[in-house]
Amino acid sequence: MPKPVVWIARRLSDATLDRATRDYEVIVNTDDTVSTADQIVAMSGKVDAIIPCHSEHFSAEVAARLDPRLKIIANHSVGVDHCDLPALKARGIVVTNTPDVLSDATAEIAMLLMLGAARHAVEGDRLVRTGAWDFWSPSFMVGKQVTGARLGIVGMGRVGQAFARKARGFDMEIHYYNRRRLTPEQEQGASYHASVEDLLGHADFLSLHCPATPETTGLMNADCFALLPKGAVLVNTARGALVDEGALLAAIQSGRLAAAGLDCFQTEPGGNPALAAHENIFMLPHIGSATTRTRDAMGFRALDNLDAFFAGRAPKDQL
Ligand code: 8YV
C-alpha cells in the first residue's frame, strides 16, 4: 500500500522530520513561510494529511474549499483557535492537537515573564547592555516581590497546573478560575473562584492559561483591569486575543498594572509598538513551547496522532 502523503506546513524539528520521512511520503515547506488560504486549499488536493502550526488558518471559508482528499489535520500545537472546528467537522476532517507535552516549557516562560516583569528585567538589561548604568542606590529599580505573593490563574488546565506547581516553589498563594472546579488532589490547596471577576481582586500576579474562544476573546478588558489590586502584574502566555491591548496600555499608563509579561499578542508576528514603548512590559515573540525537547515531543505527538488515524484507530488527541 502506498504511504499516505503528509504536508508539513512549517519547519519542524529534525527528529520530527526524520520520523515523518521514514513513515510517510512527506512534503515539507522548507521555506518555513506562513501559507495563505489559497496555498492551503491548493495543497489539500495533493495530500492525505496536514501537520500545521498555529500560524496556518483553517477558517470556515478555507474549510469549505478544502479538497476531499484531505482527511486529517494533525496540529503541531495545543491551541486550535486557528481551526474552525465545527466547519472542519462538517467536512469530515479529523483534527488533533498536542496537549500535555508543552505544559512545562510554557509554564517556564510564564515564570520567566512573571519574574522579569516584576523585577525590571527589560530596563535593567538595557542599562547594563548600553553602558548607561552609572548610578546605584537602595531605591534604584525596586521591584515587586514574587515570593509569597498571591498568584491568580485563569484557566487551570494542564499549563495552568504546571505553572501553579512551579509557583509553589516560590511559596506563592495560588488562586484560580476554571470552568469547572478541580479535585482537591489537583487543587493542591489552591483557592477556587467561581468567576474571573471574583478571582481578580486576589491576584497580585495574574497569569492567563485559557484557550482563545469567542467567550474568552477580550477577557481582560478595562473593567477587569480595574478589579485587579493596584500594582498587579499580568502574564500572558496563552493567546493575544484574551487581552484588550488598548485596556492593557491604559492600565500600564495609569499604574493600575505595575508591569506585564507577554509572550503573545493580538498581532503576530509583530506585536504592539504602543506596548513596546513601556519598559515595564517584558515581551517575548511567542516562544512558550520553544525548547528542543518540547518541539520534538510536539512533533512526535502530532505523528502519533497520524499513525493512529492511518492505522484505523481514533487518534488520542482527536478534538
Ligand atoms: C506553539 C502554541 O509554538 O501550542 C500552541 O498552541 O501556541 C505554541 O506552543 C505553536 O503553536 C507551534 O505550532
Side-chain angles (χ1 to χ4, degrees), residues 10 12 52-56 75-82 98 102 106 237-239 263 268 286-290 294-295 298:
R10 301 301 303 270
L12 302 185
C53 290
H54 76 286
S55 45
E56 281 64 53
N75 284 296
H76 179 274
S77 67
V78 65
V80 287
D81 46 302
H82 57 291
T98 58
L102 45 66
T106 307
T237 55
R239 282 292 183 266
D263 186 45
E268 294 186 12
H286 200 139
I287 54 168
S289 58
T294 293
R295 286 290 184 242
M298 291 170 73

Side-chain angles (χ1 to χ4, degrees), residues 209-266:
H209 296 287
C210 57
T213 63
E215 295 74 45
T216 61
T217 297
L219 172 84
M220 284 308 296
N221 57 21
D223 292 344
C224 283
F225 282 117
L227 291 172
L228 286 167
K230 188 162 166 46
V233 172
L234 172 75
V235 174
N236 187 8
T237 55
R239 282 292 183 266
L242 302 178
V243 177
D244 174 338
E245 290 182 354
L248 167 60
L249 187 62
I252 285 282
Q253 285 165 338
S254 71
R256 165 63 49 187
L257 274 189
L262 309 174
D263 186 45
C264 39
F265 300 85
Q266 281 174 7

Side-chain angles (χ1 to χ4, degrees), residues 71 108 163 200 277 286 298:
K71 296 171 197 71
E108 284 179 10
F163 187 46
L200 294 173
H286 200 139
M298 291 170 73

Side-chain angles (χ1 to χ4, degrees), residues 122 249 252-253 273-283:
V122 177
L249 187 62
I252 285 282
Q253 285 165 338
L275 297 178
H278 295 268
E279 286 191 330
N280 52 346
I281 306 184
F282 182 15
M283 298 179 291

Side-chain angles (χ1 to χ4, degrees), residues 66-119:
L66 290 172
D67 193 279
R69 174 166 180 182
L70 178 68
K71 296 171 197 71
I72 175 168
I73 297 171
N75 284 296
H76 179 274
S77 67
V78 65
V80 287
D81 46 302
H82 57 291
C83 292
D84 189 315
L85 296 178
L88 290 166
K89 193 171 184 181
R91 293 295 319 276
I93 296 169
V94 168
V95 181
T96 62
N97 68 342
T98 58
D100 302 316
V101 292
L102 45 66
S103 304
D104 280 320
T106 307
E108 284 179 10
I109 283 285
M111 185 56 78
L112 172 66
L113 289 169
M114 182 168 70
L115 293 169
R119 301 299 296 274

